[in-house]
Amino acid sequence: MSLLRRASRKRPVAERVVTLIGRSGCHLCDDARQVVSEVCDELGARWEERDIDQDAELRRRYWEQIPVVLVDGEQHDFWRVDERRLRRALGA
């Protein structure tokens, strides 16, 4: 595990940021949003959503993987979000 990743895991959950990258009309994105929202709201982590249709670079990079979840800027999951795995990544 990299030093950056280890340092990131030690940060309090309230300082962690989860980013959901997806698009409107994507049923997998809707499912991922539900999981991310519930886990982050429960644990007190901040989360944000980015739309690949509004950002050409995100579209180029992640089009075939949406939804994509980043934790503190590092790719964590794509297509399906596992609730237990997200909790572990956030240190819970």
Side-chain angles (χ1 to χ4, degrees), residues 63-92:
W63 171 248
E64 293 183 12
Q65 295 180 334
I66 62 165
V68 175
V69 174
L70 310 177
V71 175
D72 297 329
E74 292 188 32
Q75 188 167 341
H76 169 73
D77 255 334
F78 63 96
W79 294 334
R80 302 256 182 218
V81 180
D82 182 276
E83 179 181 339
R84 283 179 281 163
R85 187 167 181 270
L86 180 57
R87 287 177 184 282
R88 281 193 311 270
L90 293 171

PDB file of all heavy atoms in Angstrom, residues 63-92:
ATOM      1  N   TRP A  63     -15.864   6.774 -19.487  1.00  0.00           N
ATOM      2  CA  TRP A  63     -17.089   6.431 -20.197  1.00  0.00           C
ATOM      3  C   TRP A  63     -17.474   4.955 -20.072  1.00  0.00           C
ATOM      4  O   TRP A  63     -18.614   4.622 -19.798  1.00  0.00           O
ATOM      5  CB  TRP A  63     -16.973   6.822 -21.674  1.00  0.00           C
ATOM      6  CG  TRP A  63     -18.117   6.307 -22.482  1.00  0.00           C
ATOM      7  CD1 TRP A  63     -18.079   5.351 -23.442  1.00  0.00           C
ATOM      8  CD2 TRP A  63     -19.490   6.700 -22.367  1.00  0.00           C
ATOM      9  NE1 TRP A  63     -19.338   5.133 -23.946  1.00  0.00           N
ATOM     10  CE2 TRP A  63     -20.221   5.939 -23.301  1.00  0.00           C
ATOM     11  CE3 TRP A  63     -20.168   7.610 -21.571  1.00  0.00           C
ATOM     12  CZ2 TRP A  63     -21.591   6.071 -23.457  1.00  0.00           C
ATOM     13  CZ3 TRP A  63     -21.544   7.735 -21.724  1.00  0.00           C
ATOM     14  CH2 TRP A  63     -22.234   6.963 -22.667  1.00  0.00           C
ATOM     15  N   GLU A  64     -16.542   4.042 -20.247  1.00  0.00           N
ATOM     16  CA  GLU A  64     -16.862   2.617 -20.246  1.00  0.00           C
ATOM     17  C   GLU A  64     -16.953   2.020 -18.856  1.00  0.00           C
ATOM     18  O   GLU A  64     -17.248   0.832 -18.719  1.00  0.00           O
ATOM     19  CB  GLU A  64     -15.831   1.857 -21.072  1.00  0.00           C
ATOM     20  CG  GLU A  64     -15.909   2.214 -22.536  1.00  0.00           C
ATOM     21  CD  GLU A  64     -14.953   1.412 -23.388  1.00  0.00           C
ATOM     22  OE1 GLU A  64     -14.374   0.424 -22.891  1.00  0.00           O
ATOM     23  OE2 GLU A  64     -14.795   1.772 -24.562  1.00  0.00           O
ATOM     24  N   GLN A  65     -16.735   2.816 -17.819  1.00  0.00           N
ATOM     25  CA  GLN A  65     -16.730   2.282 -16.458  1.00  0.00           C
ATOM     26  C   GLN A  65     -17.852   2.827 -15.575  1.00  0.00           C
ATOM     27  O   GLN A  65     -18.012   2.354 -14.455  1.00  0.00           O
ATOM     28  CB  GLN A  65     -15.408   2.604 -15.769  1.00  0.00           C
ATOM     29  CG  GLN A  65     -14.219   1.944 -16.401  1.00  0.00           C
ATOM     30  CD  GLN A  65     -12.932   2.302 -15.678  1.00  0.00           C
ATOM     31  OE1 GLN A  65     -12.833   3.352 -15.056  1.00  0.00           O
ATOM     32  NE2 GLN A  65     -11.971   1.428 -15.752  1.00  0.00           N
ATOM     33  N   ILE A  66     -18.616   3.807 -16.032  1.00  0.00           N
ATOM     34  CA  ILE A  66     -19.575   4.453 -15.132  1.00  0.00           C
ATOM     35  C   ILE A  66     -20.596   3.464 -14.599  1.00  0.00           C
ATOM     36  O   ILE A  66     -20.977   2.538 -15.304  1.00  0.00           O
ATOM     37  CB  ILE A  66     -20.271   5.669 -15.781  1.00  0.00           C
ATOM     38  CG1 ILE A  66     -21.084   5.261 -16.991  1.00  0.00           C
ATOM     39  CG2 ILE A  66     -19.295   6.756 -16.068  1.00  0.00           C
ATOM     40  CD1 ILE A  66     -22.043   6.315 -17.448  1.00  0.00           C
ATOM     41  N   PRO A  67     -21.006   3.679 -13.370  1.00  0.00           N
ATOM     42  CA  PRO A  67     -20.536   4.707 -12.454  1.00  0.00           C
ATOM     43  C   PRO A  67     -19.170   4.353 -11.873  1.00  0.00           C
ATOM     44  O   PRO A  67     -18.833   3.190 -11.690  1.00  0.00           O
ATOM     45  CB  PRO A  67     -21.597   4.712 -11.347  1.00  0.00           C
ATOM     46  CG  PRO A  67     -22.101   3.299 -11.333  1.00  0.00           C
ATOM     47  CD  PRO A  67     -22.060   2.846 -12.769  1.00  0.00           C
ATOM     48  N   VAL A  68     -18.404   5.383 -11.603  1.00  0.00           N
ATOM     49  CA  VAL A  68     -17.089   5.237 -10.993  1.00  0.00           C
ATOM     50  C   VAL A  68     -17.125   5.959  -9.651  1.00  0.00           C
ATOM     51  O   VAL A  68     -17.676   7.048  -9.545  1.00  0.00           O
ATOM     52  CB  VAL A  68     -15.989   5.853 -11.894  1.00  0.00           C
ATOM     53  CG1 VAL A  68     -14.634   5.819 -11.211  1.00  0.00           C
ATOM     54  CG2 VAL A  68     -15.939   5.140 -13.233  1.00  0.00           C
ATOM     55  N   VAL A  69     -16.537   5.339  -8.647  1.00  0.00           N
ATOM     56  CA  VAL A  69     -16.448   5.954  -7.328  1.00  0.00           C
ATOM     57  C   VAL A  69     -14.984   6.184  -6.991  1.00  0.00           C
ATOM     58  O   VAL A  69     -14.160   5.271  -7.123  1.00  0.00           O
ATOM     59  CB  VAL A  69     -17.111   5.074  -6.246  1.00  0.00           C
ATOM     60  CG1 VAL A  69     -16.876   5.644  -4.856  1.00  0.00           C
ATOM     61  CG2 VAL A  69     -18.598   4.929  -6.517  1.00  0.00           C
ATOM     62  N   LEU A  70     -14.681   7.422  -6.605  1.00  0.00           N
ATOM     63  CA  LEU A  70     -13.346   7.774  -6.134  1.00  0.00           C
ATOM     64  C   LEU A  70     -13.437   8.031  -4.635  1.00  0.00           C
ATOM     65  O   LEU A  70     -14.425   8.591  -4.162  1.00  0.00           O
ATOM     66  CB  LEU A  70     -12.840   9.049  -6.816  1.00  0.00           C
ATOM     67  CG  LEU A  70     -12.920   9.145  -8.338  1.00  0.00           C
ATOM     68  CD1 LEU A  70     -12.434  10.519  -8.792  1.00  0.00           C
ATOM     69  CD2 LEU A  70     -12.118   8.053  -8.988  1.00  0.00           C
ATOM     70  N   VAL A  71     -12.419   7.633  -3.918  1.00  0.00           N
ATOM     71  CA  VAL A  71     -12.310   7.964  -2.501  1.00  0.00           C
ATOM     72  C   VAL A  71     -11.035   8.788  -2.360  1.00  0.00           C
ATOM     73  O   VAL A  71      -9.949   8.307  -2.692  1.00  0.00           O
ATOM     74  CB  VAL A  71     -12.262   6.715  -1.608  1.00  0.00           C
ATOM     75  CG1 VAL A  71     -12.028   7.102  -0.148  1.00  0.00           C
ATOM     76  CG2 VAL A  71     -13.551   5.904  -1.741  1.00  0.00           C
ATOM     77  N   ASP A  72     -11.202  10.018  -1.941  1.00  0.00           N
ATOM     78  CA  ASP A  72     -10.084  10.951  -1.821  1.00  0.00           C
ATOM     79  C   ASP A  72      -9.282  11.044  -3.119  1.00  0.00           C
ATOM     80  O   ASP A  72      -8.061  11.086  -3.109  1.00  0.00           O
ATOM     81  CB  ASP A  72      -9.182  10.571  -0.648  1.00  0.00           C
ATOM     82  CG  ASP A  72      -9.905  10.660   0.685  1.00  0.00           C
ATOM     83  OD1 ASP A  72     -10.818  11.507   0.816  1.00  0.00           O
ATOM     84  OD2 ASP A  72      -9.575   9.894   1.605  1.00  0.00           O
ATOM     85  N   GLY A  73     -10.002  11.040  -4.241  1.00  0.00           N
ATOM     86  CA  GLY A  73      -9.381  11.228  -5.546  1.00  0.00           C
ATOM     87  C   GLY A  73      -8.803   9.987  -6.181  1.00  0.00           C
ATOM     88  O   GLY A  73      -8.358  10.022  -7.323  1.00  0.00           O
ATOM     89  N   GLU A  74      -8.823   8.847  -5.490  1.00  0.00           N
ATOM     90  CA  GLU A  74      -8.307   7.590  -6.045  1.00  0.00           C
ATOM     91  C   GLU A  74      -9.467   6.685  -6.417  1.00  0.00           C
ATOM     92  O   GLU A  74     -10.415   6.545  -5.640  1.00  0.00           O
ATOM     93  CB  GLU A  74      -7.416   6.877  -5.026  1.00  0.00           C
ATOM     94  CG  GLU A  74      -6.126   7.615  -4.750  1.00  0.00           C
ATOM     95  CD  GLU A  74      -5.192   6.787  -3.897  1.00  0.00           C
ATOM     96  OE1 GLU A  74      -5.198   5.537  -4.007  1.00  0.00           O
ATOM     97  OE2 GLU A  74      -4.454   7.389  -3.111  1.00  0.00           O
ATOM     98  N   GLN A  75      -9.368   6.045  -7.594  1.00  0.00           N
ATOM     99  CA  GLN A  75     -10.460   5.181  -8.034  1.00  0.00           C
ATOM    100  C   GLN A  75     -10.643   4.036  -7.047  1.00  0.00           C
ATOM    101  O   GLN A  75      -9.700   3.357  -6.663  1.00  0.00           O
ATOM    102  CB  GLN A  75     -10.195   4.633  -9.434  1.00  0.00           C
ATOM    103  CG  GLN A  75     -11.409   3.904  -9.976  1.00  0.00           C
ATOM    104  CD  GLN A  75     -11.333   3.623 -11.452  1.00  0.00           C
ATOM    105  OE1 GLN A  75     -10.572   4.238 -12.170  1.00  0.00           O
ATOM    106  NE2 GLN A  75     -12.136   2.683 -11.911  1.00  0.00           N
ATOM    107  N   HIS A  76     -11.890   3.850  -6.645  1.00  0.00           N
ATOM    108  CA  HIS A  76     -12.236   2.832  -5.657  1.00  0.00           C
ATOM    109  C   HIS A  76     -13.051   1.701  -6.290  1.00  0.00           C
ATOM    110  O   HIS A  76     -12.756   0.540  -6.077  1.00  0.00           O
ATOM    111  CB  HIS A  76     -13.036   3.492  -4.523  1.00  0.00           C
ATOM    112  CG  HIS A  76     -13.665   2.529  -3.584  1.00  0.00           C
ATOM    113  ND1 HIS A  76     -12.939   1.818  -2.665  1.00  0.00           N
ATOM    114  CD2 HIS A  76     -14.950   2.132  -3.434  1.00  0.00           C
ATOM    115  CE1 HIS A  76     -13.749   1.025  -1.989  1.00  0.00           C
ATOM    116  NE2 HIS A  76     -14.975   1.204  -2.437  1.00  0.00           N
ATOM    117  N   ASP A  77     -14.078   2.024  -7.031  1.00  0.00           N
ATOM    118  CA  ASP A  77     -14.982   1.042  -7.631  1.00  0.00           C
ATOM    119  C   ASP A  77     -15.498   1.559  -8.959  1.00  0.00           C
ATOM    120  O   ASP A  77     -15.443   2.751  -9.232  1.00  0.00           O
ATOM    121  CB  ASP A  77     -16.209   0.825  -6.724  1.00  0.00           C
ATOM    122  CG  ASP A  77     -16.173  -0.493  -5.969  1.00  0.00           C
ATOM    123  OD1 ASP A  77     -15.529  -1.438  -6.436  1.00  0.00           O
ATOM    124  OD2 ASP A  77     -16.822  -0.560  -4.907  1.00  0.00           O
ATOM    125  N   PHE A  78     -16.038   0.639  -9.757  1.00  0.00           N
ATOM    126  CA  PHE A  78     -16.776   1.030 -10.956  1.00  0.00           C
ATOM    127  C   PHE A  78     -17.846  -0.014 -11.223  1.00  0.00           C
ATOM    128  O   PHE A  78     -17.797  -1.112 -10.697  1.00  0.00           O
ATOM    129  CB  PHE A  78     -15.857   1.245 -12.167  1.00  0.00           C
ATOM    130  CG  PHE A  78     -15.104   0.024 -12.623  1.00  0.00           C
ATOM    131  CD1 PHE A  78     -15.595  -0.748 -13.655  1.00  0.00           C
ATOM    132  CD2 PHE A  78     -13.902  -0.326 -12.040  1.00  0.00           C
ATOM    133  CE1 PHE A  78     -14.907  -1.866 -14.091  1.00  0.00           C
ATOM    134  CE2 PHE A  78     -13.199  -1.432 -12.468  1.00  0.00           C
ATOM    135  CZ  PHE A  78     -13.706  -2.215 -13.497  1.00  0.00           C
ATOM    136  N   TRP A  79     -18.835   0.368 -11.990  1.00  0.00           N
ATOM    137  CA  TRP A  79     -20.036  -0.402 -12.339  1.00  0.00           C
ATOM    138  C   TRP A  79     -20.937  -0.654 -11.140  1.00  0.00           C
ATOM    139  O   TRP A  79     -22.069  -0.212 -11.119  1.00  0.00           O
ATOM    140  CB  TRP A  79     -19.730  -1.703 -13.050  1.00  0.00           C
ATOM    141  CG  TRP A  79     -19.128  -1.542 -14.404  1.00  0.00           C
ATOM    142  CD1 TRP A  79     -19.270  -0.487 -15.252  1.00  0.00           C
ATOM    143  CD2 TRP A  79     -18.270  -2.454 -15.057  1.00  0.00           C
ATOM    144  NE1 TRP A  79     -18.553  -0.697 -16.398  1.00  0.00           N
ATOM    145  CE2 TRP A  79     -17.925  -1.903 -16.309  1.00  0.00           C
ATOM    146  CE3 TRP A  79     -17.748  -3.687 -14.716  1.00  0.00           C
ATOM    147  CZ2 TRP A  79     -17.105  -2.543 -17.214  1.00  0.00           C
ATOM    148  CZ3 TRP A  79     -16.927  -4.332 -15.621  1.00  0.00           C
ATOM    149  CH2 TRP A  79     -16.615  -3.761 -16.859  1.00  0.00           C
ATOM    150  N   ARG A  80     -20.475  -1.356 -10.165  1.00  0.00           N
ATOM    151  CA  ARG A  80     -21.278  -1.652  -8.971  1.00  0.00           C
ATOM    152  C   ARG A  80     -20.497  -1.195  -7.739  1.00  0.00           C
ATOM    153  O   ARG A  80     -19.304  -1.408  -7.650  1.00  0.00           O
ATOM    154  CB  ARG A  80     -21.551  -3.145  -8.840  1.00  0.00           C
ATOM    155  CG  ARG A  80     -22.257  -3.721 -10.036  1.00  0.00           C
ATOM    156  CD  ARG A  80     -23.693  -3.954  -9.729  1.00  0.00           C
ATOM    157  NE  ARG A  80     -24.332  -4.567 -10.899  1.00  0.00           N
ATOM    158  CZ  ARG A  80     -25.536  -4.279 -11.273  1.00  0.00           C
ATOM    159  NH1 ARG A  80     -26.247  -3.412 -10.610  1.00  0.00           N
ATOM    160  NH2 ARG A  80     -26.073  -4.852 -12.316  1.00  0.00           N
ATOM    161  N   VAL A  81     -21.197  -0.615  -6.787  1.00  0.00           N
ATOM    162  CA  VAL A  81     -20.554  -0.144  -5.567  1.00  0.00           C
ATOM    163  C   VAL A  81     -20.915  -1.104  -4.441  1.00  0.00           C
ATOM    164  O   VAL A  81     -22.091  -1.312  -4.157  1.00  0.00           O
ATOM    165  CB  VAL A  81     -21.001   1.289  -5.205  1.00  0.00           C
ATOM    166  CG1 VAL A  81     -20.312   1.758  -3.938  1.00  0.00           C
ATOM    167  CG2 VAL A  81     -20.716   2.234  -6.360  1.00  0.00           C
ATOM    168  N   ASP A  82     -19.898  -1.676  -3.826  1.00  0.00           N
ATOM    169  CA  ASP A  82     -20.106  -2.592  -2.714  1.00  0.00           C
ATOM    170  C   ASP A  82     -20.107  -1.789  -1.414  1.00  0.00           C
ATOM    171  O   ASP A  82     -19.116  -1.146  -1.071  1.00  0.00           O
ATOM    172  CB  ASP A  82     -18.987  -3.639  -2.705  1.00  0.00           C
ATOM    173  CG  ASP A  82     -19.174  -4.648  -1.601  1.00  0.00           C
ATOM    174  OD1 ASP A  82     -18.752  -4.356  -0.459  1.00  0.00           O
ATOM    175  OD2 ASP A  82     -19.746  -5.716  -1.872  1.00  0.00           O
ATOM    176  N   GLU A  83     -21.218  -1.829  -0.706  1.00  0.00           N
ATOM    177  CA  GLU A  83     -21.377  -1.037   0.514  1.00  0.00           C
ATOM    178  C   GLU A  83     -20.309  -1.368   1.558  1.00  0.00           C
ATOM    179  O   GLU A  83     -19.695  -0.471   2.139  1.00  0.00           O
ATOM    180  CB  GLU A  83     -22.765  -1.279   1.098  1.00  0.00           C
ATOM    181  CG  GLU A  83     -23.019  -0.523   2.372  1.00  0.00           C
ATOM    182  CD  GLU A  83     -24.393  -0.778   2.952  1.00  0.00           C
ATOM    183  OE1 GLU A  83     -25.295  -1.216   2.218  1.00  0.00           O
ATOM    184  OE2 GLU A  83     -24.549  -0.532   4.171  1.00  0.00           O
ATOM    185  N   ARG A  84     -20.064  -2.641   1.798  1.00  0.00           N
ATOM    186  CA  ARG A  84     -19.060  -3.029   2.812  1.00  0.00           C
ATOM    187  C   ARG A  84     -17.667  -2.569   2.419  1.00  0.00           C
ATOM    188  O   ARG A  84     -16.903  -2.101   3.256  1.00  0.00           O
ATOM    189  CB  ARG A  84     -19.089  -4.532   3.033  1.00  0.00           C
ATOM    190  CG  ARG A  84     -20.289  -4.959   3.893  1.00  0.00           C
ATOM    191  CD  ARG A  84     -20.316  -6.429   4.090  1.00  0.00           C
ATOM    192  NE  ARG A  84     -20.883  -6.976   2.846  1.00  0.00           N
ATOM    193  CZ  ARG A  84     -20.799  -8.217   2.459  1.00  0.00           C
ATOM    194  NH1 ARG A  84     -20.180  -9.103   3.185  1.00  0.00           N
ATOM    195  NH2 ARG A  84     -21.339  -8.617   1.334  1.00  0.00           N
ATOM    196  N   ARG A  85     -17.350  -2.701   1.145  1.00  0.00           N
ATOM    197  CA  ARG A  85     -16.026  -2.278   0.674  1.00  0.00           C
ATOM    198  C   ARG A  85     -15.852  -0.761   0.805  1.00  0.00           C
ATOM    199  O   ARG A  85     -14.789  -0.275   1.189  1.00  0.00           O
ATOM    200  CB  ARG A  85     -15.844  -2.720  -0.781  1.00  0.00           C
ATOM    201  CG  ARG A  85     -14.466  -2.499  -1.312  1.00  0.00           C
ATOM    202  CD  ARG A  85     -14.295  -3.257  -2.649  1.00  0.00           C
ATOM    203  NE  ARG A  85     -12.966  -3.040  -3.124  1.00  0.00           N
ATOM    204  CZ  ARG A  85     -12.589  -2.037  -3.916  1.00  0.00           C
ATOM    205  NH1 ARG A  85     -13.472  -1.150  -4.331  1.00  0.00           N
ATOM    206  NH2 ARG A  85     -11.343  -1.913  -4.291  1.00  0.00           N
ATOM    207  N   LEU A  86     -16.901   0.000   0.520  1.00  0.00           N
ATOM    208  CA  LEU A  86     -16.847   1.460   0.665  1.00  0.00           C
ATOM    209  C   LEU A  86     -16.671   1.829   2.127  1.00  0.00           C
ATOM    210  O   LEU A  86     -15.875   2.709   2.467  1.00  0.00           O
ATOM    211  CB  LEU A  86     -18.098   2.109   0.077  1.00  0.00           C
ATOM    212  CG  LEU A  86     -18.163   3.634   0.162  1.00  0.00           C
ATOM    213  CD1 LEU A  86     -16.955   4.285  -0.517  1.00  0.00           C
ATOM    214  CD2 LEU A  86     -19.459   4.134  -0.454  1.00  0.00           C
ATOM    215  N   ARG A  87     -17.380   1.159   3.005  1.00  0.00           N
ATOM    216  CA  ARG A  87     -17.227   1.420   4.442  1.00  0.00           C
ATOM    217  C   ARG A  87     -15.784   1.178   4.898  1.00  0.00           C
ATOM    218  O   ARG A  87     -15.213   1.971   5.649  1.00  0.00           O
ATOM    219  CB  ARG A  87     -18.178   0.529   5.261  1.00  0.00           C
ATOM    220  CG  ARG A  87     -19.605   0.934   5.178  1.00  0.00           C
ATOM    221  CD  ARG A  87     -20.488  -0.052   5.971  1.00  0.00           C
ATOM    222  NE  ARG A  87     -21.877   0.289   5.816  1.00  0.00           N
ATOM    223  CZ  ARG A  87     -22.473   1.270   6.465  1.00  0.00           C
ATOM    224  NH1 ARG A  87     -21.803   1.988   7.326  1.00  0.00           N
ATOM    225  NH2 ARG A  87     -23.749   1.534   6.261  1.00  0.00           N
ATOM    226  N   ARG A  88     -15.208   0.061   4.447  1.00  0.00           N
ATOM    227  CA  ARG A  88     -13.814  -0.240   4.812  1.00  0.00           C
ATOM    228  C   ARG A  88     -12.869   0.830   4.284  1.00  0.00           C
ATOM    229  O   ARG A  88     -11.941   1.240   4.972  1.00  0.00           O
ATOM    230  CB  ARG A  88     -13.407  -1.616   4.283  1.00  0.00           C
ATOM    231  CG  ARG A  88     -13.904  -2.763   5.125  1.00  0.00           C
ATOM    232  CD  ARG A  88     -13.239  -4.085   4.772  1.00  0.00           C
ATOM    233  NE  ARG A  88     -13.220  -4.392   3.349  1.00  0.00           N
ATOM    234  CZ  ARG A  88     -14.160  -5.061   2.706  1.00  0.00           C
ATOM    235  NH1 ARG A  88     -15.221  -5.505   3.360  1.00  0.00           N
ATOM    236  NH2 ARG A  88     -14.059  -5.304   1.424  1.00  0.00           N
ATOM    237  N   ALA A  89     -13.103   1.276   3.058  1.00  0.00           N
ATOM    238  CA  ALA A  89     -12.239   2.304   2.467  1.00  0.00           C
ATOM    239  C   ALA A  89     -12.290   3.606   3.251  1.00  0.00           C
ATOM    240  O   ALA A  89     -11.311   4.339   3.315  1.00  0.00           O
ATOM    241  CB  ALA A  89     -12.636   2.550   1.010  1.00  0.00           C
ATOM    242  N   LEU A  90     -13.434   3.858   3.863  1.00  0.00           N
ATOM    243  CA  LEU A  90     -13.602   5.075   4.660  1.00  0.00           C
ATOM    244  C   LEU A  90     -13.147   4.889   6.109  1.00  0.00           C
ATOM    245  O   LEU A  90     -13.187   5.822   6.905  1.00  0.00           O
ATOM    246  CB  LEU A  90     -15.057   5.556   4.618  1.00  0.00           C
ATOM    247  CG  LEU A  90     -15.526   6.044   3.256  1.00  0.00           C
ATOM    248  CD1 LEU A  90     -17.024   6.290   3.263  1.00  0.00           C
ATOM    249  CD2 LEU A  90     -14.774   7.307   2.857  1.00  0.00           C
ATOM    250  N   GLY A  91     -12.721   3.682   6.419  1.00  0.00           N
ATOM    251  CA  GLY A  91     -12.202   3.421   7.757  1.00  0.00           C
ATOM    252  C   GLY A  91     -13.240   3.021   8.772  1.00  0.00           C
ATOM    253  O   GLY A  91     -12.998   3.073   9.976  1.00  0.00           O
ATOM    254  N   ALA A  92     -14.402   2.603   8.306  1.00  0.00           N
ATOM    255  CA  ALA A  92     -15.478   2.218   9.252  1.00  0.00           C
ATOM    256  C   ALA A  92     -15.602   0.709   9.354  1.00  0.00           C
ATOM    257  O   ALA A  92     -15.214  -0.023   8.517  1.00  0.00           O
ATOM    258  CB  ALA A  92     -16.794   2.810   8.791  1.00  0.00           C
TER     259      ALA A  92
END
